[in-house]
Amino acid sequence: MHQPARRRAPRYARPSHRGRNAALAATGPTVTQDRLAPASPIAGKSLTWSDEFNGPIAWGTRWVGDKSSSYKYGNHNPDYNKLDWLNKNNVTVANGVATFTATPNGTTLENGKQAWNTGFLTTEGSSEGFQVKTGDYAETRVKLPSGSGAWPALWTWKDGNGEIDSFEYHPDNPNLLELTNHVNPGNPKYYTDASAIAKDQWVTIGTYYGANSVDWYVNGVKVFSDGKGVGANWSAYLILNLSVCAGQYHPAPQGTAPLTFSADFVRVYR
């Protein structure tokens, strides 16, 4: 996998979101893969909740796509280097894959920048109201974006924090994932692996929410343990989304071409 000519170093002061198998990871989802019995790399865990994106998004029942308490104004949040304007029409499903799309929407944000409609899935506010909790393992398989300004993530949120970032990705650091515990903060992990993480490549990313350590997995292999954990009684809502950078820490979109990001599934084991 190529390295960029000028690789931009991660910004360690970036604010939070407020504001099994390597061969499979390199290819798109297949019928064969989707029929395999899902398994967790954490011993003793069984599947308790999932969305395989084999049908339309279950808006209102399983997911909410147009508001979140993590966003200052409910559907947008310019204070955290984001151009997002949440719109559930910007998440579509076809052939077992959910596609998140971001497009300029012509609205001017409170900071004077132009907003982008973008795709967002959260369990917060749904009738199921599903939450991950201490001891759970959450996993997603995603195709990382290539467009400048794209900022996808799987993360959690509840009551003004509760945030564990299973991953954040920025195409200007094409082989790097940001892995962060905001509940019991320590040093975030900037995990680099050019063979597994790249623009327009599929990768499976998982997080074990341990009481005493949060552990991150890439393609079923543990890559980082923070030794901090979430505590014994933690719980939070899941969020999978495509944010759009406003340009403070990573480049903003170059032009108005749509940005896209794809997900094969979200699974939680307990």
Side-chain angles (χ1 to χ4, degrees):
M1 205 63 60
H2 76 280
Q3 294 289 339
R6 288 187 174 179
R7 181 168 174 204
R8 186 169 170 172
R11 299 301 186 103
Y12 288 81
R14 187 194 56 75
S16 75
H17 265 290
R18 284 168 287 183
R20 179 79 61 182
N21 153 327
L24 285 176
T27 64
T30 65
V31 172
T32 300
Q33 182 197 8
D34 284 346
R35 286 178 178 172
L36 294 174
S40 165
I42 310 296
K45 302 291 181 184
S46 58
L47 189 67
T48 189
W49 185 95
S50 71
D51 198 329
E52 304 294 322
F53 301 122
N54 289 328
I57 299 292
W59 295 118
T61 304
R62 173 147 295 191
W63 299 109
V64 168
D66 54 5
K67 60 183 176 181
S68 169
S69 66
S70 65
Y71 278 46
K72 180 177 180 179
Y73 298 100
N75 64 352
H76 65 288
N77 187 20
D79 293 352
Y80 285 89
N81 191 40
K82 293 186 174 185
L83 303 179
D84 305 11
W85 196 281
L86 306 186
N87 189 324
K88 65 182 184 181
N89 294 326
N90 286 63
V91 185
T92 57
V93 173
N95 301 317
V97 171
T99 298
F100 299 69
T101 303
T103 54
N105 77 356
T107 302
T108 301
L109 297 168
E110 289 78 2
N111 59 10
K113 297 181 182 293
Q114 296 303 299
W116 284 55
N117 285 333
T118 193
F120 185 96
L121 295 177
T122 180
T123 59
E124 181 186 17
S126 68
S127 59
E128 285 185 357
F130 179 78
Q131 298 181 50
V132 289
K133 64 181 184 178
T134 302
D136 286 355
Y137 173 77
E139 185 175 76
T140 188
R141 184 168 180 266
V142 296
K143 186 178 183 182
L144 299 171
S146 59
S148 179
W151 179 4
L154 176 68
W155 50 300
T156 60
W157 186 262
K158 185 181 178 182
D159 296 336
N161 189 1
E163 182 178 350
I164 302 294
D165 297 333
S166 289
F167 81 93
E168 298 175 81
Y169 180 78
H170 299 276
D172 57 305
N173 289 324
N175 307 126
L176 182 148
L177 298 176
E178 299 178 23
L179 318 174
T180 312
N181 179 351
H182 293 283
V183 175
N184 290 311
N187 292 324
K189 175 69 173 179
Y190 297 94
Y191 176 72
T192 301
D193 182 350
S195 66
I197 303 158
K199 293 186 286 187
D200 291 323
Q201 180 165 303
W202 288 92
V203 61
T204 300
I205 303 166
T207 308
Y208 172 66
Y209 309 109
N212 301 310
S213 183
V214 177
D215 302 335
W216 285 263
Y217 291 74
V218 173
N219 293 332
V221 177
K222 187 191 295 185
V223 299
F224 178 54
S225 298
D226 73 351
K228 295 287 186 176
V230 294
N233 300 309
W234 173 86
S235 63
Y237 300 102
L238 278 173
I239 298 173
L240 180 65
N241 76 306
L242 173 61
S243 280
V244 182
C245 288
Q248 183 177 3
Y249 299 96
H250 296 271
Q254 305 300 305
T256 60
L259 304 173
T260 61
F261 161 67
S262 299
D264 183 14
F265 59 75
V266 180
R267 297 171 181 161
V268 179
Y269 300 82
R270 182 169 293 170

